[in-house]
Amino acid sequence: MAEAERPRIGDEGDVDGCVGVGGYFLQKFRLYETRSNFYMVGRDKNKEFWRVLKIDRLESAELNILEDPTIYTEFECCDLLTRIHEGNKPTGGLKLVTACYGIIGFIRFLGPYYMLIITKRRKIGTICGHAVYSITKREMIQIPNTHAKSNMDFIKNESRYKKLLCSVDLTKDFFFSYSYHVMRCLQKNLCDNEPGQILYETMFVWNEYLTRGIRNSLKNALWTVALVHGFFKQVTLSAMEREFKLTLIARRSRHFAGTRYLKRGVNEKGRVANDVETEQIVFEDAPEGSPSYVTSVVQHRGSIPLFWSQETSKLNIRPDIIVSRKDPKYEATRLHFENLVKRYGNPIIVLNLIKTWEKKPRETILRAEFANAIRFINRSLPQESRLRFLHWDINKHAKGKENSALIVLYKVAEYALNLTGIFHSQVATNMKSEGSLVTFYFEKSDSGDSGSMNNNSDDADSFETDVSSSSSYSKWKMPLFQKGVLRTNCIDCLDRTNVAQYAYGLVALGKQLHVLGLRESEDIDFDDPLAVDLMDVYEAMGDTLAMQYGGSPAHNKIFSASRGQWNAATQSQEFFRTLQRYYSNAYIDAVKQDAINVFLGYFQPQQEKPALWELNSDQHPDVGKRCQRQSSSFFKRSLSDGNILLQADTPSASKILGRQSLASEENGGFCGCQSESIRDVSASESKVFDSRQRVHFAKDHGFVEGDHISDDEERGDGINSSNFLDIDWLSSGGSSFIDDNHGRSSSSMSSVLLDNNSNNKAQRENDALVGCKSSMDEFSEDFIRWVTEGEVLFS
């Protein structure tokens, strides 16, 4: 090969990279080919470490990968490539295929293997000096060459599977980092050091299946990137004339993943649909040589953990909610909450935002069943481990005064954060820059104690610490740890849930800025520029997550009203989003679900077996008979009771939540589909919400003085609004900072009630729209009613 044609690796310009402590990270790659092999050359940022990977191209049925154990210099690597070229001249020599930034994975359908690689990337942020990237272009390359023999009898289906996989757009909402474990929250990254191989197995790595073959073969993750799906946004804000970085990350679970009506509720393993971990990170860039501090807080959203479903319909925009009788002892629900305890520790705080009353029971059926499930589970748990829950109808309160719903959610967030705390730590000065895995140290307190964390492998990592619950955020030198999590849900865990998560994020931001010394007070008013900026970020996250799961941007009625934008134009936008979501659910989601199942490996094509599109549901063909619907309670392609590849190793009963034997427990009619008992329960629930008595928090929680706390064991009905606070306190002024900024006395507890006079105009407009319904067909009538009543706008 002539000198000008000789393959060179280091002449394309510098790129970001990492050299880690005790290891290194390859970031820049070049892919070469001969007739019989692919050769991938990878290097680090500083051009100190060069490695070579060989992939066999002659075998189509197996993936043969060999890693050269030698660590080369740039000169040695170029010399090796020259010798490979000379040895393959009779068959065309060594040719450059493309430059790339990592391997996404390998996959095989019915014929040969394919390799997915990143060919273009974009830096979207940094966490403690470690770059985070998104994909701007990727390529899918067939491994066997055109001359290799391969069985391609199924060319048509092969092409269809390829098209299906490529429909998963990796350039949208996927992100990765070479040196920072972005699939884990900051607290876990800073408090323990798991190897990369294990981290690929966590619930938030979407290409775990695609990378499994190469990782098992090489026993490392040097050549691949771990893709996280969800949302990542980093903005620069200022407080007290000092700039800081705010990063919002949403990590979508790959377990029981899918689209709105095709993945609902929980499966046998306790995995829920639309399971998303949201993390808010705040830090200030410190001068070189100075210590820096970082804070984070994590919250969770996920589908109601029951066996329930809704049938996709082209005629009915609001399908009936169907609750299954298959789990009378709520074993799957219990598994879900046990998993949350493993991941985050106690307490688990459940905020349920669905409706309390409906003319035709839909959401209220789930609300009653969810309350019964929590009561049933709590009966077997010690007091300190019980689930804390609040059932609160956000739709009902969103029709009140401006920001009334946000004010209540702000109070809930204050209470939850005082229970769980936030994470705060100092970054080791010599570890801030990119070039190593994140390593932190904690300055000891005056007593000499330092924080520790008990972690388990896989997605069962825990936030558990031995740190006492010090709520004094002014002790900056002492590390703080989050212990427990707030779990929020509505029906879809999209629109209403996103509003609640914003309120939680706003309260958390005040605490984070205070602990960083960027704000004197922990409280942030809704009119504060920081609150407006944070709302923009959460609104962007809500739109992104809603597109992924629901098929349209989120309904942002409360955000629009908070900005004073709820007018005819905004209402038209909400109407269009409702229509967009309906169209996606009815006509697009089935194919989208198929693509997700192939990408995640939940469906693996096999010759002589039915193709994915020939199945009646997203279940594995081996259980095709099981998928036959025996009643209207189950419907095509929309089961919530398992993944496609059913596994025999269903998790056994865990003791994480202190489970006791439930053999003697009475079912008590806790499950069923629209039973009379459930309807009676729904009616009694509405009475609880309609009461207007003054309620207080318990003294031991440091809130309003009083001696009454609602407890489902005390009342014995299992359908209370809350077992740790009463709903009516939330409708009163209380002593919240937010109330002071809305003209309420901090010493009084005046009610935040619906102002009927202020809504007369809106009511007249609503009546005018309702008067037009008589000339419309049933579909249009329902559609207009849902929009005008705000029922579709929060789903």
Side-chain angles (χ1 to χ4, degrees):
M1 179 181 290
E3 183 68 24
E5 300 175 349
R6 178 176 298 172
R8 296 189 60 81
I9 296 89
D11 57 0
E12 64 280 321
D14 190 29
V15 295
D16 293 335
C18 301
V19 179
V21 176
Y24 49 87
F25 301 92
L26 304 180
Q27 283 202 25
K28 180 65 180 182
F29 304 86
R30 280 204 154 190
L31 182 65
Y32 300 90
E33 67 173 350
T34 65
R35 182 178 178 182
S36 57
N37 294 293
F38 278 115
Y39 293 90
M40 181 169 283
V41 177
R43 68 167 175 85
D44 70 309
K45 175 182 179 179
N46 297 325
K47 303 180 181 180
E48 296 178 1
F49 301 92
W50 301 74
R51 298 294 301 271
V52 178
L53 189 72
K54 183 172 73 171
I55 305 171
D56 183 14
R57 301 187 64 195
L58 299 180
E59 178 58 60
S60 62
E62 296 181 5
L63 185 63
N64 294 324
I65 302 176
L66 179 63
E67 181 182 42
D68 189 338
T70 306
I71 299 177
Y72 295 96
T73 64
E74 180 179 3
F75 175 80
E76 292 171 340
C77 191
C78 290
D79 181 66
L80 174 64
L81 294 177
T82 300
R83 287 187 279 114
I84 293 175
H85 173 71
E86 295 295 333
N88 286 273
K89 271 187 175 181
T91 56
L94 183 69
K95 301 175 183 178
L96 174 66
V97 178
T98 184
C100 58
Y101 294 91
I103 298 175
I104 298 171
F106 296 84
I107 191 169
R108 182 190 180 204
F109 306 117
L110 301 173
Y113 272 94
Y114 300 90
M115 176 170 58
L116 283 76
I117 58 176
I118 301 171
T119 53
K120 289 185 180 179
R121 68 182 183 186
R122 180 173 65 90
K123 185 176 178 179
I124 56 177
T126 59
I127 300 177
C128 300
H130 296 258
V132 180
Y133 299 93
S134 65
I135 300 173
T136 55
K137 186 178 181 181
R138 63 106 178 97
E139 289 188 18
M140 184 174 180
I141 299 174
Q142 180 176 312
I143 298 296
N145 59 41
T146 55
H147 301 287
K149 295 181 179 180
S150 59
N151 185 0
M152 298 299 292
D153 294 337
F154 303 93
I155 295 178
K156 183 177 180 181
N157 283 350
E158 182 80 8
S159 299
R160 189 166 178 178
Y161 280 122
K162 287 174 60 178
K163 183 178 180 181
L164 199 61
L165 181 72
C166 291
S167 68
V168 178
D169 192 351
L170 299 181
T171 65
K172 289 184 179 179
D173 312 327
F174 284 88
F175 49 94
F176 66 95
S177 176
Y178 299 101
S179 57
Y180 180 79
H181 297 149
V182 73
M183 76 291 291
R184 308 169 80 219
C185 68
L186 185 69
Q187 180 169 328
K188 292 179 183 177
N189 276 333
L190 310 194
C191 297
D192 72 88
N193 190 15
E194 293 283 0
Q197 270 282 74
I198 295 178
L199 294 175
Y200 270 80
E201 299 171 3
T202 58
M203 63 190 299
F204 299 119
V205 178
W206 271 57
N207 60 334
E208 184 278 333
Y209 166 69
L210 296 178
T211 60
R212 192 182 303 165
I214 183 173
R215 289 184 292 108
N216 290 342
S217 176
L218 304 182
K219 307 303 179 184
N220 66 55
L222 191 63
W223 301 89
T224 58
V225 297
L227 295 183
V228 179
H229 185 40
F231 177 83
F232 185 100
K233 188 174 181 64
Q234 187 171 82
V235 295
T236 301
L237 305 175
S238 62
M240 297 178 63
E241 299 183 351
R242 291 160 59 184
E243 290 188 345
F244 65 91
K245 293 281 180 31
L246 182 141
T247 307
L248 189 64
I249 306 174
R251 305 176 180 95
R252 180 177 294 282
S253 172
R254 63 182 170 87
H255 299 311
F256 204 44
T259 56
R260 187 185 182 200
Y261 288 143
L262 301 182
K263 292 295 178 182
R264 288 295 213 195
V266 70
N267 65 12
E268 290 98 336
K269 293 180 178 292
R271 312 293 191 182
V272 295
N274 200 21
D275 188 327
V276 180
E277 176 185 273
T278 301
E279 181 179 20
Q280 182 173 294
I281 302 174
V282 177
F283 63 90
E284 183 182 18
D285 288 329
E288 189 67 28
S290 301
S292 63
Y293 293 86
V294 62
T295 73
S296 75
V297 65
V298 171
Q299 54 182 318
H300 175 269
R301 71 170 73 183
S303 187
I304 296 174
L306 300 170
F307 289 104
W308 63 281
S309 57
Q310 285 181 280
E311 182 175 0
T312 304
S313 174
K314 297 179 181 180
L315 301 177
N316 185 3
I317 198 171
R318 295 182 70 202
D320 290 337
I321 291 175
I322 302 167
V323 181
S324 170
R325 297 174 178 267
K326 66 177 296 178
D327 192 13
K329 294 186 178 180
Y330 304 107
E331 290 300 319
T333 308
R334 186 188 300 274
L335 284 173
H336 171 69
F337 286 115
E338 287 173 349
N339 179 260
L340 289 183
V341 173
K342 290 178 183 178
R343 288 158 60 184
Y344 306 113
N346 277 313
I348 302 299
I349 306 170
V350 180
L351 176 58
N352 179 26
L353 302 174
I354 62 179
K355 296 178 182 178
T356 58
W357 183 88
E358 298 167 296
K359 293 181 179 178
K360 178 182 178 181
R362 294 180 68 258
E363 295 188 15
T364 50
I365 298 172
L366 272 178
R367 182 186 186 276
E369 188 72 0
F370 193 19
N372 286 334
I374 293 175
R375 175 178 179 268
F376 189 85
I377 293 171
N378 275 346
R379 284 158 62 181
S380 64
L381 302 178
Q383 187 70 36
E384 65 275 8
S385 299
R386 290 185 177 180
L387 303 171
R388 311 197 183 194
F389 64 87
L390 169 63
H391 303 288
W392 186 71
D393 185 349
I394 187 175
N395 269 356
K396 178 180 178 181
H397 292 78
K399 299 175 183 178
K401 290 182 178 179
E402 179 183 343
N403 284 342
S404 61
L406 286 173
I407 292 171
V408 174
L409 291 171
Y410 192 98
K411 296 177 184 178
V412 175
E414 283 181 321
Y415 186 80
L417 277 167
N418 276 277
L419 288 177
T420 64
I422 67 173
F423 176 70
H424 171 242
S425 173
Q426 183 175 351
V427 183
T429 305
N430 61 336
M431 295 298 176
K432 289 189 298 180
S433 62
E434 188 172 289
S436 68
L437 281 172
V438 179
T439 305
F440 288 69
Y441 70 92
F442 302 123
E443 293 192 9
K444 292 187 177 181
S445 62
D446 296 337
S447 62
D449 296 329
S450 61
S452 63
M453 176 173 286
N454 298 325
N455 291 291
N456 300 305
S457 61
D458 195 17
D459 49 294
D461 292 339
S462 174
F463 275 168
E464 296 285 354
T465 71
D466 295 331
V467 178
S468 61
S469 57
S470 172
S471 60
S472 176
Y473 293 105
S474 60
K475 298 179 180 180
W476 295 359
K477 295 297 182 181
M478 183 176 180
L480 303 173
F481 298 91
Q482 177 175 345
K483 185 177 180 181
V485 74
L486 174 67
R487 182 199 194 276
T488 307
N489 72 265
C490 48
I491 288 296
D492 294 326
C493 303
L494 297 178
D495 311 321
R496 289 172 281 187
T497 296
N498 202 61
V499 174
Q501 290 207 328
Y502 159 71
Y504 187 85
L506 183 62
V507 177
L509 179 61
K511 294 182 179 294
Q512 290 175 293
L513 294 179
H514 179 68
V515 79
L516 291 173
L518 297 175
R519 193 175 180 90
E520 294 182 359
S521 170
E522 292 185 357
D523 303 310
I524 301 178
D525 184 29
F526 290 123
D527 296 329
D528 192 297
L530 285 174
V532 176
D533 291 334
L534 187 69
M535 181 181 291
D536 291 339
V537 179
Y538 271 85
E539 187 172 9
M541 179 185 73
D543 288 342
T544 299
L545 297 179
M547 282 294 298
Q548 294 166 7
Y549 183 66
S552 79
H555 294 293
N556 296 311
K557 179 179 178 180
I558 293 181
F559 288 158
S560 298
S562 178
R563 299 189 185 102
Q565 298 174 343
W566 184 241
N567 48 36
T570 306
Q571 191 169 4
S572 299
Q573 174 181 279
E574 297 300 301
F575 183 89
F576 174 77
R577 290 183 176 183
T578 300
L579 184 61
Q580 182 182 359
R581 188 171 295 182
Y582 156 74
Y583 179 83
S584 178
N585 299 158
Y587 297 96
I588 299 175
D589 282 359
V591 176
K592 186 177 178 181
Q593 184 69 59
D594 287 345
I596 292 173
N597 291 336
V598 171
F599 186 88
L600 295 176
Y602 293 155
F603 179 87
Q604 300 172 23
Q606 300 179 41
Q607 297 184 14
E608 309 301 333
K609 296 287 186 179
L612 178 58
W613 43 87
E614 296 173 352
L615 301 178
N616 289 328
S617 73
D618 61 352
Q619 304 295 306
H620 191 269
D622 290 343
V623 290
K625 293 183 179 180
R626 175 183 169 183
C627 298
Q628 297 298 322
R629 306 297 175 257
Q630 299 179 1
S631 69
S632 59
S633 298
F634 299 93
F635 56 92
K636 185 176 181 179
R637 308 183 62 79
S638 186
L639 286 179
S640 65
D641 61 347
N643 290 331
I644 295 179
L645 290 182
L646 298 181
Q647 300 179 12
D649 56 340
T650 303
S652 58
S654 173
K655 297 181 180 179
I656 296 300
L657 291 177
R659 179 187 307 195
Q660 299 175 3
S661 175
L662 300 176
S664 61
E665 295 286 359
E666 295 288 333
N667 291 341
F670 288 157
C671 66
C673 178
Q674 302 190 31
S675 64
E676 291 300 324
S677 61
I678 288 183
R679 289 172 182 165
D680 293 340
V681 163
S682 300
S684 64
E685 284 176 320
S686 63
K687 295 179 182 178
V688 175
F689 272 74
D690 288 337
S691 62
R692 286 289 179 263
Q693 66 183 42
R694 181 173 300 182
V695 183
H696 309 281
F697 283 151
K699 294 180 181 179
D700 59 339
H701 289 301
F703 277 76
V704 182
E705 292 186 358
D707 58 358
H708 176 71
I709 268 196
S710 170
D711 191 290
D712 59 344
E713 292 300 329
E714 294 177 1
R715 296 187 182 182
D717 55 16
I719 47 89
N720 295 318
S721 300
S722 177
N723 67 348
F724 68 95
L725 60 88
D726 277 317
I727 190 66
D728 300 295
W729 184 88
L730 297 175
S731 295
S732 65
S735 57
S736 172
F737 162 83
I738 289 296
D739 294 332
D740 296 338
N741 286 274
H742 285 78
R744 299 176 177 86
S745 171
S746 61
S747 61
S748 68
M749 295 187 64
S750 57
S751 298
V752 183
L753 300 176
L754 177 64
D755 188 343
N756 293 323
N757 293 332
S758 66
N759 285 319
N760 284 341
K761 180 179 179 181
Q763 185 63 42
R764 288 194 299 271
E765 294 174 350
N766 178 69
D767 291 340
L769 280 172
V770 172
C772 299
K773 296 177 184 176
S774 58
S775 61
M776 300 181 178
D777 58 22
E778 182 179 356
F779 175 85
S780 299
E781 182 178 327
D782 288 342
F783 209 100
I784 292 294
R785 182 177 71 251
W786 298 325
V787 173
T788 57
E789 293 179 0
E791 295 178 0
V792 171
L793 303 184
F794 305 111
S795 37

